[in-house]
Amino acid sequence: MDFYSISSPRRQQSSLASQYQPRIPPPYVIRDNFCRRQPRLRPSNQPTGSGLASVSDVVPTKFSGELLRVWRYTTGKMAGDKNVEKLDAMVQSLSRVEDTLKQIEINGRPGETEDFHVQRDDKQKVFARIRCNIITVGDIDTVTQQFTAEIYLSVTWKEPKVKGLKREEVKWEEMWDPRFYFFNAVSIDKMQTNHYIVPNNDDEAGGIPDVRLSIRMKGTFKCSMELKDFPFDYQELTIKLMSDWPVEDVEFVKDMNIKDSIRLDTFTGNQQWKLWKHVIAQPIEEDKSLVGAHRSYPIYHITTHVQRKPGFYIWNIALIMLLIVLLTFSSFVVDRTLPADRLSVTVTLLLTAVAFKYVVSQSLPLISYLTLLDKFVLCCLIFHCLVVGQNALSSVVELNDPDADKDWAKWFDFISIIILAGMVFNITVGFILTSFVKQNNARKRMEKATAEYDAKCEEINQNWLARQRSTEAKKKKRNEQNIPPTEKAVQAGASAKGLSWKRSSKDPNGKNGVELQGVKTDGGQKAEPSSQQSVSSSKQTTATFAV
């Protein structure tokens, strides 16, 4: 490489050098011997966008680093180290501005995964028919109020654009999409989607085919759990679907062509929950008082129920708390004159009960109301506090007894034992009866929901059978319309003679034919072939007519 300087006084007033004070001596420019085109300087009278743009015009990009290095070296020799520091700060500032502009340009580009949703050409409201199959229900976490599930969904709607096309010929990314999403999903582990074309020959639908979007997904969903009856509660596990199209464009409806279903054999929480076999799938209308959006959007809920099995909490918490309560009566065996020994027993048991209360709180989320088990544990804690108070009062009565012969402290202990025992009995019996009532009510609600689900499934089955009969009747009608007139005459003659008939493929002469065969009685009535009397007095007749 060799260097040359620009000595023209006019060129020294370049746009880049004139923007900074004090004026920097004219730069040196690199000339590459291997470059075919000589780099040119921008005239000083030609406006430039910025100093950085002027440098990029003067020097090719791959030589800009060398240029700046030479520039700093030469200016440092001519003007001193102070100008070099200013130039370095200027270059760094321009580099930061350039990086910021590049980042803004990158952020302004549309992402590669960005979807563009087209509107329908006919501007008609779409009725999206939804059918669901809950493949499995996984972990149910009461503390975080979450559950995992794997489901299969099919969303079907009318689409005139795919009429006459095959599935492979359709560009699905350019077609209308319902744009629905699971808005209570915490995370989605996997999702697989497919599009299908379902032909529809229904006269009322005008022959418009259906587009079916099938989705198989597995994820974790958030649900609000009602725990007032814990551990005798049941929970609604709801998967919520919502569309980005407003209700004026899309409406979710239940698909009455096939029933919703749930698999019970894949449920992994059988030790703690009972999964009921019904699925409640229905559209939900938004509550305007709870939604801040100006427009309303369609919502669809898919709900199944699980009922908690309370055995763990009964045997490991409720029963042990009851035993601790019963052990507090052992404090009355200690002599009344030793209140410290009495209090040591009752206070130790009280602390043990508090520890169990902490264990119960670990099994529940932070809620502002008391569950049924919380009420039982709190009653036990209150009982312990009463026993502690009784032990303290007993020592006071013993010390201040004015009449030692009547022994008022002994009677005070006896009456306290009776009252406290009655309290324990009432607490225990009340908890047991309440638990039976809560569990029975939950079972009745679940059985009612299951009965409604079975009735809906029976209705869907009847609709399916009716469609099958309608399809067969239409097919038979079309076949009758295609029968030649001569064949119709043969059929009429066979019916008049009491003969059954059937169509044969071809006769020996190669013509299509109608074969008439059956049993004809003397009275002109058809007889059953299985009847011996009719067979003995009847005559088997077979005739073939070419048509």
Side-chain angles (χ1 to χ4, degrees):
M1 296 184 181
D2 55 346
F3 303 94
Y4 68 94
S5 62
I6 304 174
S7 58
S8 174
R10 183 179 180 182
R11 293 290 180 88
Q12 291 181 4
Q13 303 297 328
S14 62
S15 60
L16 179 62
S18 62
Q19 294 180 11
Y20 302 96
Q21 297 296 333
R23 181 167 297 174
I24 302 174
Y28 286 85
V29 182
I30 299 174
R31 182 178 63 194
D32 190 352
N33 294 330
F34 300 99
C35 292
R36 296 182 180 179
R37 188 172 64 88
Q38 189 76 6
R40 297 181 180 180
L41 287 175
R42 185 185 299 272
S44 60
N45 57 355
Q46 183 176 352
T48 59
S50 64
L52 185 61
S54 300
V55 173
S56 63
D57 289 339
V58 173
V59 186
T61 306
K62 65 179 180 179
F63 303 119
S64 60
E66 185 68 19
L67 170 64
L68 294 176
R69 186 184 69 79
V70 175
W71 195 342
R72 287 196 296 268
Y73 176 78
T74 55
T75 53
K77 290 296 183 181
M78 292 181 178
D81 295 336
K82 187 175 182 181
N83 289 335
V84 174
E85 294 177 357
K86 291 182 179 180
L87 183 60
D88 288 340
M90 176 193 70
V91 173
Q92 293 177 3
S93 177
L94 291 176
S95 299
R96 288 195 296 269
V97 172
E98 184 181 10
D99 294 340
T100 304
L101 293 175
K102 288 181 179 180
Q103 189 64 35
I104 293 174
E105 192 270 337
I106 292 173
N107 294 336
R109 297 175 186 173
E112 296 180 356
T113 59
E114 183 176 351
D115 297 330
F116 176 74
H117 300 284
V118 296
Q119 295 184 349
R120 292 180 68 91
D121 297 335
D122 53 6
K123 305 296 182 181
Q124 297 294 326
K125 186 175 183 178
V126 180
F127 292 89
R129 307 188 301 274
I130 300 178
R131 180 253 174 177
C132 70
N133 176 25
I134 301 179
I135 301 174
T136 180
V137 177
D139 298 333
I140 303 173
D141 193 343
T142 306
V143 178
T144 60
Q145 302 189 72
Q146 297 178 0
F147 70 96
T148 60
E150 183 176 359
I151 63 173
Y152 169 82
L153 288 177
S154 66
V155 186
T156 310
W157 67 91
K158 297 291 181 182
E159 185 54 70
K161 287 186 177 180
V162 300
K163 188 174 183 179
L165 299 178
K166 295 182 179 179
R167 178 173 177 264
E168 297 79 10
E169 301 173 351
V170 180
K171 295 182 179 180
W172 296 108
E173 64 275 5
E174 299 179 0
M175 302 299 294
W176 183 89
D177 189 82
R179 298 174 60 188
F180 71 90
Y181 62 96
F182 306 89
F183 75 94
N184 70 325
V186 179
S187 62
I188 296 178
D189 300 330
K190 66 176 182 179
M191 178 179 290
Q192 181 181 359
T193 60
N194 293 294
H195 289 83
Y196 302 95
I197 298 178
V198 182
N200 191 349
N201 298 322
D202 192 0
D203 295 336
E204 297 180 358
I208 299 177
D210 289 336
V211 170
R212 178 175 297 164
L213 173 62
S214 65
I215 300 175
R216 180 164 181 169
M217 63 88 65
K218 180 180 181 181
T220 303
F221 303 91
K222 194 79 173 178
C223 64
S224 179
M225 295 187 178
E226 185 63 39
L227 299 169
K228 289 184 177 180
D229 298 336
F230 175 84
F232 305 99
D233 57 324
Y234 68 93
Q235 301 299 333
E236 294 183 355
L237 306 182
T238 303
I239 300 174
K240 302 177 181 180
L241 280 71
M242 176 182 262
S243 175
D244 284 337
W245 298 108
V247 293
E248 292 80 9
D249 297 333
V250 176
E251 181 177 346
F252 288 154
V253 295
K254 182 179 176 63
D255 193 349
M256 297 300 294
N257 294 326
I258 185 170
K259 64 182 181 179
D260 302 321
S261 60
I262 182 173
R263 294 182 62 94
L264 302 181
D265 55 342
T266 58
F267 183 52
T268 59
N270 289 320
Q271 300 299 325
Q272 188 177 359
W273 301 90
K274 177 183 178 181
L275 178 64
W276 290 84
K277 66 176 183 179
H278 59 262
V279 179
I280 302 175
Q282 57 187 356
I284 302 297
E285 185 177 356
E286 282 187 322
D287 188 358
K288 285 293 186 180
S289 61
L290 301 177
V291 180
H294 177 69
R295 308 181 72 176
S296 297
Y297 297 88
I299 299 177
Y300 196 83
H301 284 188
I302 301 171
T303 303
T304 185
H305 289 91
V306 290
Q307 186 175 1
R308 193 188 304 270
K309 296 180 179 180
F312 173 83
Y313 301 96
I314 291 176
W315 299 113
N316 293 277
I317 295 178
L319 180 60
I320 294 179
M321 284 295 299
L322 179 61
L323 294 177
I324 294 174
V325 167
L326 295 178
L327 287 176
T328 56
F329 288 98
S330 62
S331 62
F332 293 99
V333 180
V334 181
D335 191 1
R336 300 187 300 273
T337 60
L338 301 174
D341 295 338
R342 275 195 173 190
L343 290 175
S344 64
V345 173
T346 54
V347 172
T348 301
L349 294 175
L350 175 61
L351 295 177
T352 305
V354 171
F356 269 91
K357 179 65 176 69
Y358 178 77
V359 172
V360 175
S361 63
Q362 296 298 311
S363 303
L364 296 173
L366 298 178
I367 53 179
S368 59
Y369 53 85
L370 295 177
T371 65
L372 183 61
L373 187 60
D374 287 335
K375 295 176 182 178
F376 177 74
V377 173
L378 286 177
C379 288
C380 294
L381 293 177
I382 293 172
F383 174 82
H384 282 88
C385 293
L386 292 177
V387 174
V388 171
Q390 192 277 338
N391 294 155
L393 290 176
S394 178
S395 62
V396 173
V397 173
E398 179 70 22
L399 295 175
N400 298 323
D401 189 0
D403 191 356
D405 297 335
K406 295 183 178 179
D407 197 1
W408 291 103
K410 180 179 180 181
W411 282 101
F412 179 73
D413 283 347
F414 180 74
I415 296 174
S416 299
I417 291 174
I418 295 176
I419 295 176
L420 293 174
M423 291 180 59
V424 172
F425 178 80
N426 291 331
I427 292 172
T428 305
V429 173
F431 178 74
I432 294 174
L433 293 179
T434 305
S435 63
F436 274 113
V437 171
K438 297 291 186 181
Q439 199 167 13
N440 188 44
N441 291 338
R443 181 179 56 81
K444 288 183 178 179
R445 293 190 184 98
M446 296 299 99
E447 290 178 351
K448 182 179 179 181
T450 303
E452 294 177 354
Y453 169 76
D454 293 337
K456 182 67 69 174
C457 292
E458 183 64 24
E459 180 183 354
I460 294 175
N461 292 334
Q462 294 298 328
N463 294 337
W464 183 83
L465 293 176
R467 288 195 303 272
Q468 291 294 107
R469 289 192 294 266
S470 177
T471 302
E472 293 177 358
K474 291 179 180 179
K475 183 178 179 181
K476 183 178 180 181
K477 185 178 180 180
R478 286 194 299 267
N479 293 336
E480 291 178 354
Q481 291 176 354
N482 296 329
I483 297 177
T486 52
E487 184 175 338
K488 289 183 179 181
V490 172
Q491 296 177 11
S495 299
K497 294 179 180 181
L499 298 176
S500 62
W501 62 275
K502 68 178 181 179
R503 188 193 306 270
S504 62
S505 57
K506 286 184 178 298
D507 63 355
N509 296 328
K511 298 181 180 180
N512 293 331
V514 177
E515 181 181 355
L516 304 181
Q517 61 182 5
V519 178
K520 181 180 179 182
T521 59
D522 296 337
Q525 301 290 334
K526 271 200 306 184
E528 297 293 336
S530 59
S531 176
Q532 296 182 357
Q533 295 180 356
S534 300
V535 171
S536 60
S537 61
S538 62
K539 181 179 180 181
Q540 181 74 25
T541 304
T542 302
T544 302
F545 299 88
V547 179

